[in-house]
Amino acid sequence: MHRCPFHAIKIVTIPDELNRDVTHQYSLNSFRLYSLPELNRGKVTALLGQNGMGKSTTLKILAGILVPNFGNYDEKASREEVVDRFATSIMGDYFRGLYDGTKKAVLKDQNVDLIPKVVAGTIGEILKKNDPQGKFDDITSMLNMGSSLSKDVKSCSGGELQRFAIATALLREGDIYLFDEMSSYLDVAERIRVAGIIQKLSREKTVMVVEHDLALMDWMADSVHVVYGQTGTYGIISEQRTSNKAINSFLEGYLREENVRIRSYSIDFHEKSDRRVSTGVEVASWTDMEKTLGDFHLKINNGLIRSSEVIGVLGRNALGKSSFAKILAGVSEPDSGNLSRTLKISYKPQYISTDFDDSVFSLLSQALKERMQSGMVKNEIIHPLEIENLYDLNVQDLSGGELQRVSIALTLSMDADLYILDEPSAHLDSAYRMSAARIIKRVMENNRKSAFVIDHDVYFIDLISDALIVFDGNPGISGESNGPLSMKDGMNRFLKGAGVTFRRDAVTRRPRINKTDSRLDRAQRESGNYYYSE
């Protein structure tokens, strides 16, 4: 079959009946969105699916920014037609109120990285200018923003920008609140805090969220719509399910009610041992180390890592996890203590540079050289992460998720003994997070290599880790490492500090956050077993 090279054109077969239900189409043979979700006052509704399938487009439609054209892309979209199309459903009243001005929607955009490019000043100054209801003190207190208010937005961390964006949305008066990816850059404790605020908001307002942290979505959302299709080509929004059923269907890769397979494989979780078990040889060790960075003091307790072992690193923001990674990688030196560094190290930092001004293929070819032709690299890393589809794109034009995938692929493809990945799940959607976790784990096991992985997504850490290092301390002032510890001991220590308990799902064995003060939550806290009740 003659096809356009370089993946410039996608030829996709779409079920015929869906062609009569196009909600929005951008242009001829371009992306199409099928159906819309239902929003219910008093509940948190969520969208779950891969990037490039219309979730952000859906939020723009629900916010009134984009008027759906029902496939008539060459004509001006009509608000009257939208109201007529949905007249017999809940969404008819929704759009009628949105378009006549009796309802107001507030959208929190996903691209918090762009905030410094569009606003100037300190966080406190900007928020006070956008506080018509006088809720500044309450909102900033709930989000624990006290130490950030005097900081200029241009010098803020990703977590500070995320809380700033959430605060800006909460300060605005609205009837409908739409949150697009609210957990990026936030640690687990901050994610739970924000989710609690959104749950409280939903009791009075209509709320929808797009979220890739499945544990957080499960805990926060009352109902979930799974979005499936083909990235950049079309997206279909399924009927709403309870959060538990939706996430289990997503992990299985099969929507039973629609009889649709959305993925060729399932994502499986397994019980972890109470002890740290590894038969590999020691590949690296370190004595007690200390490092002072300005007013911040980091203490690293002694430890070691063995071959074929993945050590997950957990802890709140600003406790020194990235500083520890830089010491291990040789980017910086400790003030005291020793680290064995005779091994080869491949390091992916937290913030990825985009200085390379050429194609993804050129970047990988120059960095990997002959390893680009390795069967292991192609079959275990490049192909599963779908990097071939990005080969002809300029590195500087990549989205956050695409850049993260390329960076993970580049790091894992290097010839090294120890791989250090700092927040590899950032910017990745749920499917790619789970896929990246499987790839990292498989590469380490098949090649008898070792890895340190720093992340805030508990699902991600649970999938890949054999042991944990947990950081405690006072954010921005002092931090101390503990471990490596067994998964159970490490998770118990970490979750006690975060103030949450987890259980295993009866069907998928995935981690699930217990509802605060529920019977199981109280029982696990009393027993000191924060990581599963078995």
Side-chain angles (χ1 to χ4, degrees), residues 139-398:
I139 298 298
T140 54
S141 176
M142 284 193 296
L143 290 169
N144 195 26
M145 298 178 66
S147 61
S148 304
L149 296 178
S150 60
K151 296 186 69 172
D152 190 285
V153 290
K154 289 182 173 56
S155 62
C156 287
S157 66
E160 289 168 329
L161 290 176
Q162 184 68 269
R163 284 180 289 165
F164 168 68
I166 294 169
T168 300
L170 294 175
L171 287 174
R172 296 172 60 189
E173 180 60 31
D175 303 284
I176 305 108
Y177 288 83
L178 309 165
F179 296 89
D180 198 351
E181 297 186 27
M182 61 169 203
S183 70
S184 300
Y185 303 111
L186 301 183
D187 61 42
V188 172
E190 291 169 333
R191 293 179 185 195
I192 294 294
R193 182 187 301 114
V194 170
I197 293 171
I198 288 176
Q199 279 189 323
K200 183 178 179 181
L201 178 69
S202 71
R203 296 171 194 154
E204 303 174 355
K205 308 290 184 177
T206 300
V207 176
M208 171 163 277
V209 299
V210 170
E211 183 51 57
H212 296 307
D213 183 327
L214 297 183
L216 189 68
M217 175 185 285
D218 185 29
W219 187 81
M220 171 177 55
D222 298 291
S223 60
V224 176
H225 291 269
V226 177
V227 185
Y228 63 97
Q230 182 159 326
T231 301
T233 307
Y234 72 97
I236 304 166
I237 299 176
S238 72
E239 295 296 319
Q240 62 179 310
R241 296 166 168 78
T242 63
S243 61
N244 183 33
K245 286 185 177 180
I247 293 173
N248 284 354
S249 296
F250 178 80
L251 293 174
E252 184 182 359
Y254 179 58
L255 304 181
R256 296 183 180 277
E257 291 82 355
E258 285 92 341
N259 192 27
V260 172
R261 180 155 293 283
I262 63 175
R263 196 187 314 108
S264 60
Y265 59 88
S266 65
I267 297 168
D268 303 312
F269 291 81
H270 303 284
E271 301 286 351
K272 298 298 178 78
S273 172
D274 288 354
R275 295 169 294 171
R276 182 187 178 192
V277 179
S278 177
T279 58
V281 299
E282 180 182 319
V283 296
S285 63
W286 57 94
T287 64
D288 291 348
M289 298 187 291
E290 295 193 25
K291 179 76 173 179
T292 299
L293 299 162
D295 296 329
F296 178 78
H297 181 258
L298 173 62
K299 180 181 179 182
I300 302 168
N301 292 313
N302 67 83
L304 61 87
I305 184 170
R306 303 183 179 96
S307 59
S308 304
E309 187 175 50
V310 178
I311 294 183
V313 182
L314 287 169
R316 296 188 64 185
N317 284 329
L319 288 179
K321 300 186 301 299
S322 294
S323 298
F324 174 53
K326 290 177 181 178
I327 291 173
L328 290 179
V331 175
S332 66
E333 296 291 333
D335 297 334
S336 64
N338 297 302
L339 168 69
S340 65
R341 267 212 207 102
T342 56
L343 66 169
K344 296 179 183 177
I345 293 175
S346 182
Y347 170 52
K348 186 201 83 66
Q350 179 181 8
Y351 299 109
I352 306 166
S353 172
T354 56
D355 294 337
F356 190 83
D357 188 14
D358 205 338
S359 69
V360 170
F361 184 82
S362 296
L363 172 65
L364 295 176
S365 297
Q366 292 182 31
L368 301 178
K369 297 181 173 60
E370 65 274 4
R371 287 183 67 82
M372 271 287 283
Q373 307 307 316
S374 164
M376 185 280 290
V377 169
K378 287 182 177 180
N379 298 328
E380 294 190 16
I381 302 170
I382 299 295
H383 183 66
L385 283 170
E386 300 181 0
I387 302 300
E388 298 103 326
N389 297 337
L390 308 176
Y391 272 173
D392 300 300
L393 299 179
N394 189 296
V395 173
Q396 296 189 2
D397 294 332
L398 297 178

Side-chain angles (χ1 to χ4, degrees), residues 99-111:
Y99 292 154
D100 66 19
T102 57
K103 292 181 180 178
K104 184 178 179 182
V106 176
L107 172 64
K108 200 285 299 179
D109 194 82
Q110 62 176 314
N111 299 311

Side-chain angles (χ1 to χ4, degrees), residues 157-159 183-188 190-191 313-319 321-322 325 347-352 400-401 403-405 407-408 420-428 433 436 440 452-457 460-461 464:
S157 66
S183 70
S184 300
Y185 303 111
L186 301 183
D187 61 42
V188 172
E190 291 169 333
R191 293 179 185 195
V313 182
L314 287 169
R316 296 188 64 185
N317 284 329
L319 288 179
K321 300 186 301 299
S322 294
Y347 170 52
K348 186 201 83 66
Q350 179 181 8
Y351 299 109
I352 306 166
L403 186 63
Q404 189 70 269
R405 281 158 51 203
S407 186
I408 292 171
I420 302 171
L421 298 102
D422 196 346
E423 294 200 30
S425 79
H427 299 294
L428 296 183
R433 287 185 185 191
I440 294 170
F452 276 92
V453 181
I454 301 171
D455 214 277
H456 293 301
D457 188 317
F460 192 88
I461 290 293
I464 64 173

Side-chain angles (χ1 to χ4, degrees), residues 457-472:
D457 188 317
V458 173
Y459 274 36
F460 192 88
I461 290 293
D462 185 81
L463 275 171
I464 64 173
S465 302
D466 301 299
L468 293 175
I469 291 178
V470 180
F471 277 71
D472 300 324

